[in-house]
Amino acid sequence: MQAIDYNDRIKSIMKILGIETSCDDTCASVLEIKKNKPILLSQIISSQEKLHSQYGGVFPSLAKREHQKNIIPVLIKALKKANLLKLNKPTLSKSLSKTQI
């Protein structure tokens, strides 16, 4: 009978959601750790560069509003691309409407 290495099983199922907002980018990515090696499952970037270019640089209050507007769609795209979100649109929109500020 072969011994089961539970540490190896845990390492092969770890998934990490990364969220980043910079001056003019809203990003999310999903990594899977498999046998101590990272595998990028998704990476979504929403850039505000064109929006801020008309001001000659980042306009902080506009950037804040854009981050608030973009974070949920970016997260949804990243999770769907990584096959971690499988809700249909009516269920998803109903769930999000309860959580939005």
Side-chain angles (χ1 to χ4, degrees), residues 34-66:
K34 206 168 209 171
K35 300 193 181 195
N36 289 327
K37 294 185 181 180
I39 301 164
L40 183 63
L41 300 179
S42 69
Q43 180 179 27
I44 305 297
I45 301 169
S46 175
S47 178
Q48 302 174 21
E49 186 177 345
K50 289 180 184 176
L51 183 64
H52 292 284
S53 65
Q54 63 187 342
Y55 300 105
V58 175
F59 193 66
S61 62
L62 179 59
K64 178 184 172 186
R65 284 191 300 271
E66 288 298 305

Side-chain angles (χ1 to χ4, degrees), residues 63-80:
K64 178 184 172 186
R65 284 191 300 271
E66 288 298 305
H67 286 310
Q68 290 171 333
K69 183 178 90 176
N70 295 332
I71 191 68
I72 297 298
V74 165
L75 284 170
I76 289 169
K77 287 178 187 176
L79 292 170
K80 277 186 174 182

Side-chain angles (χ1 to χ4, degrees), residues 77-88:
K77 287 178 187 176
L79 292 170
K80 277 186 174 182
K81 188 173 181 182
N83 292 318
L84 296 174
L85 184 66
K86 295 173 183 162
L87 295 173
N88 60 28

